[in-house]
Amino acid sequence: MPLHERIIPYLETAGLYHLARLNSQWFWVDEPLLSAFIERWRPETHTFHMLFGECTVTLEDVAYQLGLPIDGEPVSGCLSEFENFMENGRPAWVWFRELFGELPPQNKVKQMTVCYTWFHERFRVLPADATDDIVRIYARAYIMMLLSSQLFADKNANRVHLRWLPYVASLDDLGRYSWGSAVLAWLYRCLCRGTNRNVVNLAGPLQLLQSWIFWRFPCLRPSDFNRFGFPLASRWAEYLPRNDAVDQRVVAARLCLDRLRVHDIVWEPYSSPDVLAVVHPEILLDEHRRLWTAVTSLIYFVAIEWHQVDRVMPQFGGVQHLPHLALNIDWLHAKDGRGGDRWFPSYYREWHEHWQDRHATVLPVDRVADPGPSSEYLDWWCRVAHRFLSPEVAFQDPRPIVLTEEARHRGSSQAPPMVQVVDRPDNRRVDRRRRIGTRTTDREWRWLADHLEEEQVVGDHGGDVDHRVPRRRARRHGQRDGGGRARGRGPSGEYHSGQHAVGEDIGGVATGMDQGTFEVGGSSQMFQSGDTQAFADFTTAAVGMDIDDPVSQSEFFRDIADILGEDDGTHYRPQMDEVHSQFAEHQPHVQDVQPALLVDLNEPAASPSDPWFALGGTPASAFSVVPPQASVPQVDQRPRRVRRAPLCGTGGHLIGQLDDDDSDTIEDSD
């Protein structure tokens, strides 16, 4: 959008005029070069890990490159619910109509954002006879476009968020905010996101990052760009990088960074007389300048980052000492503003207090004639850092960093005193593993409490205990009535359940191998005798799964019917309850199961008589006195396949043992 002279006074008041001068030209970024640098970005320290140490973009770079004010109030507040969190706030779109005089069409609106094209078409050209109120409207539109496109661009890259309405509502108060710390916080957050292997796109003030690279590393900057003005990022406004062979250029840039040495970086590029001649004096005021070495928080609404300049002291003319442990703020990195709007100055009160005390966290710098890492630091860095990213075949030397004579003369440096801040690790994964305070935990404990209450209520009237095990994950628990019983569990409408006291032996119920089994001669007999509900209850008691469940009825009943309908020769040995006597009266009772032998199941089978058992499975010799004879499979018969009930974690899978001639396999002939 063109910059009209009647809008410039509002930009100067807001401290955004120097940034607006960069908006007149389109910046192109060297994507392979930025990708190679992002590979070296560490979210733990907010620094680039190079061969010779660490370096990063600081508040000093933001001031010189973009000309933004550093000192001021943090850029924070709420995102959209202004009427709920602000004293004089109004609903977002009502406020938008008051500030701009109209609303954008529906096809230009998406949730709480407006397309760039509407602002560009509606407020591009300021009328010559515009009144002061019209000029203020155009100034608001220009500032919202400037902030959303140049400083705080996201991956949408074509929308303006309504979070800026409280700021442009009072144009005279825009100068009291720290725009420099906010843009650095957003750059840090975008770089931290870019280190995720699943992230393929990068947003943020990339012109700041690219200009910082060109000013700090002369060997990486393009040639024939020797003239510059203020802001210093305007030096590369006409730079047009190549767009061919991107993959090869990424490899080349990575190798170039692997071969950098300590003399390839300019620690103080802004100390030259040519730079001081073009810099505007307002950014060199003491109120802004002294915050360049402050170890404090950086705030941009929900994005909270940490300014760890104690790890890059050579960028301020000092000697790099052994740094302190980096502050762990993984919990803050996990915040992205989702899950409902908040008033962030209260939600992040501690970090806003850190910024309020920013003047007390300024580090003193002992300037030297030859800044750089100390010999002690280099020795430590060579031992702990991951310095090379290219394959070893790209190097001819054994890759050690030889301590230069300059580093030996620097000696060691003492770390300055710093304010200790408590770490904020991201414990969500740990809490999830412990299952503390999650909705899943509440649901599981509520399910257990309901079952205990149900057993206690039914126990007053007597009855048997229901040992059916719910199917994992896919199990749908029925609704509860006032008495604590389950509803919607088949035609009967409730369980046949009983109760028993906690810690008391359950009588009348045999488990595992203690009870006799019955033999079903064929699956056709099973389906022909008895009704469907009786077979459902029988299957529930046998294998621990309720086939009346609407989730599992179709697939379970169909699969079981197909398998058992074809395998009439399979011996199926589940438990038989007394209530299912209509099946047992047709079957002869046999007592051919021997008690378990005293064997170590962790040891491999001593007899190779039955080779057809799964890895880690229990051989048949562990349950029978005489191991069965190995049978030679027929030519046209497929080998037997192990079928095991899934482990439920409660021991319920032991209720329905599948047995074939005293073995733990069934024949598969489908």
Side-chain angles (χ1 to χ4, degrees), residues 130 149 364 444 527 561 669:
S149 59
E444 290 180 354
F527 285 98
S669 60

Side-chain angles (χ1 to χ4, degrees), residues 441-452:
T441 306
D442 298 337
R443 183 169 60 252
E444 290 180 354
W445 283 108
R446 185 169 59 251
W447 172 82
L448 178 60
D450 293 343
H451 274 267
L452 292 178

Side-chain angles (χ1 to χ4, degrees), residues 380-589:
W380 167 79
W381 185 253
C382 294
R383 288 185 285 105
V384 302
H386 187 76
R387 298 178 292 128
F388 297 91
L389 300 181
S390 299
E392 297 184 1
V393 296
F395 298 87
Q396 297 179 356
D397 52 23
R399 300 192 184 185
I401 285 187
V402 180
L403 296 182
T404 61
E405 193 66 24
E406 295 83 359
R408 297 181 186 275
H409 286 300
R410 295 190 194 106
S412 60
S413 177
Q414 184 67 25
M418 294 176 53
V419 178
Q420 298 297 328
V421 182
V422 182
D423 291 339
R424 295 295 188 276
D426 187 4
N427 292 328
R428 294 180 303 165
R429 181 175 300 177
V430 178
D431 293 341
R432 191 181 302 116
R433 290 177 179 176
R434 294 177 180 174
R435 310 185 70 81
I436 298 176
T438 60
R439 288 181 295 178
T440 305
T441 306
D442 298 337
R443 183 169 60 252
E444 290 180 354
W445 283 108
R446 185 169 59 251
W447 172 82
L448 178 60
D450 293 343
H451 274 267
L452 292 178
E453 180 182 0
E454 177 184 351
E455 291 181 358
Q456 184 175 2
V457 172
V458 179
D460 297 338
H461 305 284
D464 297 330
V465 180
D466 187 3
H467 289 279
R468 290 177 290 183
V469 180
R471 199 177 79 171
R472 287 186 299 178
R473 299 185 182 275
R475 181 63 176 262
R476 300 293 181 88
H477 299 286
Q479 300 177 354
R480 303 275 174 183
D481 55 12
R485 299 184 178 182
R487 292 179 292 142
R489 309 295 302 184
S492 59
E494 63 181 45
Y495 284 111
H496 299 285
S497 59
Q499 71 92 24
H500 62 88
V502 179
E504 181 181 352
D505 294 337
I506 306 173
V509 178
T511 59
M513 311 299 294
D514 300 332
Q515 194 181 34
T517 60
F518 70 96
E519 183 177 358
V520 180
S523 58
S524 58
Q525 300 178 8
M526 172 182 284
F527 285 98
Q528 291 174 2
S529 60
D531 55 354
T532 307
Q533 180 59 30
F535 173 73
D537 295 338
F538 158 73
T539 310
T540 300
V543 298
M545 184 180 297
D546 197 346
I547 67 170
D548 281 339
D549 192 343
V551 177
S552 59
Q553 180 179 7
S554 58
E555 58 179 9
F556 178 80
F557 186 86
R558 183 174 60 253
D559 295 343
I560 293 297
D562 293 343
I563 294 176
L564 298 182
E566 297 177 0
D567 301 342
D568 286 341
T570 300
H571 298 288
Y572 199 65
R573 300 179 181 275
Q575 293 288 113
M576 171 57 68
D577 236 342
E578 294 182 0
V579 296
H580 308 296
S581 58
Q582 65 269 28
F583 297 108
E585 62 184 5
H586 301 286
Q587 308 301 331
H589 291 273

Side-chain angles (χ1 to χ4, degrees), residues 225-243:
F225 288 91
N226 299 324
R227 299 179 57 185
F228 57 87
F230 188 79
L232 299 184
S234 61
R235 179 177 181 177
W236 326 104
E238 298 180 357
Y239 171 61
L240 186 63
R242 295 167 46 194
N243 58 357

Side-chain angles (χ1 to χ4, degrees), residues 363-378:
L363 297 182
V365 180
D366 297 331
R367 300 182 62 88
V368 296
D370 183 22
S374 63
S375 58
E376 183 182 11
Y377 176 85
L378 283 177

